[in-house]
Amino acid sequence: MRKKSNPVWMVLVYVVLIFLAILSIMPFLIMMVNATRSTTEIQQHAISLIPSSYTMKNFAILTGKSFNPMRGFLNSLIISTGATICAVYFSTLTAYALVIYDWKLRQPFFTFIMAIMMIPTQVTMIGFYQFVYKIHMTNNFLMLILPAIASPSIVFFMRQYMQPTLSPEIVQSARIDGAREFYIFNHIVLPIMKPAIATQSIFVFVTNWNRLFEPLILLTDQKRYTLPIMVSLLRGDIYKTEYGAVYLGLTLTVLPLIVVYLLLSKYIIAGVALGSVKG
Amino acid sequence: MKKNKLSYAKYGYLFSLPFVIAFLLFSLYPICYTLIIGFTDLKGMGKTSFHFLADPLQNFKVVLAAPTFHTALKNTVFMWVCNFIPQVLLALLLTAWFTDRSSKVRGQGLFKVIFYMPNIITAATIAILFNAMFGYPMGPVNDLLAKMNSVGFFHGLLEKMGLGAPPIYFLQSKTTTRAIVIFIQTWMWYGYTMIILISGVLGISPEIFEAAEVDGAGKWQIFFGITLPNIRPILLFTLVTSLIGGLSMFDIPKLFMLGGPDNATLTTSVYIYNQAFSGSYMYNRAAAASIIMFIIMSVASAILFFIMRDKDEVKMQKIKKEQMKLRKAEERAARKGAKA
């Protein structure tokens, strides 16, 4: 016996939902429109939904002052791709070790992974910086990529996914066929794990793309700046009165993310939901 | 067979070796190193050599007594609490609406995509975007207020809120700046929390809901009696991850107003950054502050787990009883139906 909801109530629900939707979209919309407008236009009316024609001029101002979006884009791409490959590959490998093999320290190791899952990078950063500085690697991207090999939360996720998906019989029959352990992992296990790998890759990539704290501390050479560091330059005095250029700079850093998000939103939302059930 | 299994055990160790090495090198060693630096005199740009202090706890004492650290800690906790409560309430409300079995909300997929979007955008960009949005004298928010004030109805409303005469210099006020940071955090995270809670509700067996409906339970009764107790573990997960994320909040306060005005949005992470990488480069103080934060986070998480877990078991038993009752009611109803 389901009662139908009051139509007035439903209208209220939709009003709230639409209000929240506008709240989510508006800042980005204003930003993108203002990226096409001149500083004078923005100073007269800061909100407009009609694009103007100053994009190229804004771009010239933007890149004329130490802001190099292409360089930042490339650096962010290298770091994010590297970190994603490391995190996903080695986490799957570690999960494989936890699921398939019978070893003495298996359970303690899993407990240990659970325990270190919550350590935030902020608390390790001073020691990490000193260590990296000592070995003269401060501007080396490897120092931002290699730590991803130990990603406890991804190992946890991969293990949860692998347990019901990968049957030991498959591994066993591959062994009978004469395949070596490492070969089995690369050619049989990885393809089976594809859906989980795809989901996690998106999240690891985006997280690394957005990261500010670690790169800000480690990368001191302007040529090595990532996009978030470039963005932080827009806060500086040199852009104080160049509103159009600032909005364009912000837009350029957000655009790739929004495009990727709109293309993959279905998987991303499903991935967020999936990740939580396990927690 | 057994022999076979034993010989494979070494691969378990071998395949988890990269993880262990990376953890030791990039996490454990830096944590220990941070702890050690906390006991030393390490400061000055580019310095790496240090001596232990005569009073090993001196840095910790100095940080704990520093008024700036107190401000930072208070701000961090205050801003986290003030963003977490509305964030969870809003997420719960939306969850209740989106999982309502009697009236389906249309366009759910689209709303989810839109609500989650701010979470995926670079926080650094969002901080600077909001800084521009609240610009003075002519930022988008001031422009919007000016337009709304030209309409009589809104003018009266805005005047009561103290927004009747734009342009307003928002970023000069400590309270307003803090409120905006809280708003940004809530705005960025409620969509994420909502998706997680919805997935939790969808994980509850539909039979329980059906039984309750047969029993004639109302919408709100079902939500508070069944939905909420059943998603308790997921709420705990949200609470703990949000706590740790909130206590290490950096990007937004750092870039929105550089911790200002007058340290109003200074968080402990920004404090640590400023101690170590500006002014006189006091790595030792920053390290001590990091360790203090680490202890606070661990203790807070442990307390949360403890409180929630204990109640959880009690609650679970209650739920089981209720489920039994509901099931019996259902059986009774079924029998009646069969008779008729």
Side-chain angles (χ1 to χ4, degrees):
Chain A
M1 287 301 273
R2 286 179 198 173
K3 287 171 220 154
K4 270 272 167 233
S5 278
N6 186 345
V8 180
W9 173 251
M10 284 313 280
V11 169
L12 184 80
V13 168
Y14 282 111
V15 168
V16 172
L17 292 179
I18 290 168
F19 173 75
L20 288 175
I22 292 173
L23 211 56
S24 281
I25 295 172
M26 258 332 237
F28 301 115
L29 200 63
I30 293 172
M31 170 187 79
M32 286 180 202
V33 174
N34 278 350
T36 68
R37 303 168 76 215
S38 73
T39 298
T40 333
E41 284 173 328
I42 295 169
Q43 273 171 330
Q44 275 158 4
H45 281 290
I47 294 185
S48 169
L49 297 178
I50 307 149
S52 183
S53 55
Y54 283 85
T55 318
M56 287 326 288
K57 276 187 190 149
N58 284 338
F59 191 74
I61 296 169
L62 181 69
T63 49
K65 299 184 183 184
S66 75
F67 192 86
N68 191 341
M70 267 325 284
R71 165 76 61 191
F73 185 86
L74 210 67
N75 289 341
S76 283
L77 195 67
I78 295 169
I79 293 173
S80 306
T81 310
T84 305
I85 294 170
C86 282
V88 172
Y89 183 83
F90 288 104
S91 297
T92 315
L93 189 67
T94 313
Y96 184 64
L98 282 168
V99 171
I100 291 295
Y101 299 108
D102 230 343
W103 39 300
K104 239 188 204 161
L105 293 177
R106 173 156 85 162
Q107 200 48 48
F109 183 56
F110 181 61
T111 314
F112 163 74
I113 285 178
M114 298 275 288
I116 60 173
M117 208 146 70
M118 299 275 191
I119 300 175
T121 36
Q122 264 83 342
V123 301
T124 65
M125 206 51 209
I126 304 298
F128 186 64
Y129 170 76
Q130 281 288 326
F131 157 61
V132 173
Y133 189 85
K134 247 188 189 167
I135 56 172
H136 305 291
M137 297 276 268
T138 40
N139 279 305
N140 196 318
F141 288 164
L142 282 179
M143 289 297 110
L144 292 164
I145 294 173
L146 294 180
I149 294 173
S151 308
S153 52
I154 303 170
V155 174
F156 183 73
F157 180 91
M158 290 298 182
R159 178 183 172 274
Q160 298 300 92
Y161 186 88
M162 197 185 284
Q163 254 172 349
T165 320
L166 180 70
S167 69
E169 284 80 35
I170 299 178
V171 180
Q172 200 55 46
S173 66
R175 277 178 194 152
I176 291 164
D177 288 345
R180 286 198 191 154
E181 297 303 302
F182 196 53
Y183 180 92
I184 295 175
F185 174 75
N186 282 325
H187 293 88
I188 295 167
V189 179
L190 279 185
I192 291 175
M193 293 294 288
K194 244 184 205 161
I197 289 175
T199 316
Q200 286 303 302
S201 295
I202 301 173
F203 287 103
V204 183
F205 191 89
V206 170
T207 311
N208 278 285
W209 184 271
N210 290 341
R211 219 152 44 140
L212 174 71
F213 192 68
E214 298 89 337
L216 192 63
I217 286 167
L218 291 186
L219 307 174
T220 49
D221 181 358
Q222 283 229 357
K223 281 188 215 118
R224 303 245 139 192
Y225 280 0
T226 58
L227 267 189
I229 305 181
M230 294 258 175
V231 167
S232 74
L233 295 177
L234 295 173
R235 184 81 178 56
D237 283 335
I238 43 170
Y239 291 106
K240 199 135 213 174
T241 49
E242 301 294 352
Y243 297 118
V246 169
Y247 281 114
L248 181 65
L250 294 173
T251 305
L252 287 177
T253 61
V254 167
L255 222 48
L257 273 175
I258 290 189
V259 170
V260 169
Y261 181 59
L262 292 182
L263 288 175
L264 299 177
S265 61
K266 220 173 132 187
Y267 305 96
I268 293 174
I269 301 287
V272 176
L274 212 64
S276 68
V277 185
K278 316 300 192 284
Chain B
M1 268 315 259
K2 269 213 163 155
K3 239 184 189 176
N4 216 353
K5 249 189 181 171
L6 270 180
S7 69
Y8 283 121
K10 67 173 186 209
Y11 289 103
Y13 293 98
L14 189 65
F15 287 172
S16 37
L17 199 60
F19 181 98
V20 174
I21 292 174
F23 173 76
L24 292 178
L25 202 57
F26 299 120
S27 286
L28 189 65
Y29 177 62
I31 292 176
C32 299
Y33 205 35
T34 306
L35 182 66
I36 291 169
I37 291 171
F39 299 125
T40 67
D41 63 351
L42 183 60
K43 62 180 173 190
M45 191 181 178
K47 265 193 82 175
T48 50
S49 60
F50 53 76
H51 303 280
F52 284 97
L53 294 166
D55 173 10
L57 292 176
Q58 194 191 326
N59 290 319
F60 292 88
K61 283 176 192 160
V62 169
V63 169
L64 284 173
T68 334
F69 183 72
H70 289 179
T71 313
L73 193 58
K74 265 185 238 160
N75 285 340
T76 312
V77 173
F78 177 77
M79 289 196 286
W80 174 68
V81 171
C82 289
N83 110 65
F84 185 74
I85 293 170
Q87 175 195 320
V88 163
L89 290 180
L90 185 58
L92 275 173
L93 180 72
L94 294 172
T95 305
W97 286 349
F98 282 178
T99 55
D100 187 348
R101 291 157 55 85
S102 58
S103 42
K104 269 241 173 302
V105 175
R106 280 162 197 266
Q108 274 194 34
L110 185 67
F111 283 124
K112 277 187 202 165
V113 168
I114 295 173
F115 295 166
Y116 182 68
M117 190 172 66
N119 193 267
I120 213 158
I121 306 293
T122 319
T125 306
I126 286 178
I128 292 170
L129 176 59
F130 271 81
N131 182 274
M133 299 273 290
F134 285 92
Y136 175 87
M138 198 55 207
V141 175
N142 269 320
D143 193 19
L144 183 71
L145 284 177
K147 274 176 190 153
M148 283 170 82
N149 268 307
S150 61
V151 183
F153 169 72
F154 285 121
H155 179 65
L157 214 68
L158 288 172
E159 209 163 36
K160 268 182 202 153
M161 294 164 71
L163 302 169
I168 297 159
Y169 203 161
F170 290 103
L171 303 182
Q172 208 176 28
S173 150
K174 290 173 76 166
T175 325
T176 316
T177 315
R178 221 179 268 147
I180 296 171
V181 171
I182 292 167
F183 171 80
I184 299 175
Q185 291 285 341
T186 312
W187 177 77
M188 278 182 80
W189 287 95
Y190 79 91
Y192 168 83
T193 310
M194 175 196 76
I195 293 173
I196 286 191
L197 295 183
I198 288 177
S199 89
V201 174
L202 294 181
I204 304 170
S205 148
E207 286 163 24
I208 303 178
F209 288 114
E210 275 158 26
E213 275 164 12
V214 169
D215 231 22
K219 252 187 209 180
W220 295 107
Q221 259 178 307
I222 292 181
F223 186 75
F224 286 104
I226 296 178
T227 314
L228 218 48
N230 270 299
I231 56 171
R232 225 187 145 81
I234 289 180
L235 278 172
L236 172 67
F237 164 81
T238 316
L239 182 62
V240 173
T241 44
S242 169
L243 173 81
I244 290 172
L247 291 188
S248 46
M249 194 195 320
F250 179 78
D251 299 15
I252 301 279
K254 170 76 185 161
L255 290 183
F256 178 59
M257 278 304 287
L258 312 174
D262 193 18
N263 289 342
T265 56
L266 183 81
T267 61
T268 45
S269 284
V270 178
Y271 173 84
I272 291 168
Y273 179 87
N274 288 346
Q275 287 287 312
F277 302 102
S278 68
S280 43
Y281 293 82
M282 308 241 241
Y283 300 116
N284 52 355
R285 298 255 168 92
S290 305
I291 297 297
I292 293 169
M293 281 318 290
F294 186 47
I295 293 170
I296 291 177
M297 284 180 207
S298 313
V299 171
S301 315
I303 291 174
L304 282 181
F305 271 117
F306 183 73
I307 295 173
M308 299 281 276
R309 186 170 285 170
D310 244 6
K311 282 183 187 168
D312 226 30
E313 271 164 42
V314 181
K315 270 268 158 79
M316 283 309 276
Q317 278 168 352
K318 261 190 197 169
I319 294 164
K320 268 184 196 156
K321 267 186 199 166
E322 262 166 51
Q323 283 174 11
M324 286 295 281
K325 264 188 210 165
L326 289 172
R327 217 162 278 155
K328 271 182 195 162
E330 198 183 11
E331 274 165 24
R332 238 178 285 141
R335 247 178 274 145
K336 262 184 203 167
K339 268 182 196 168

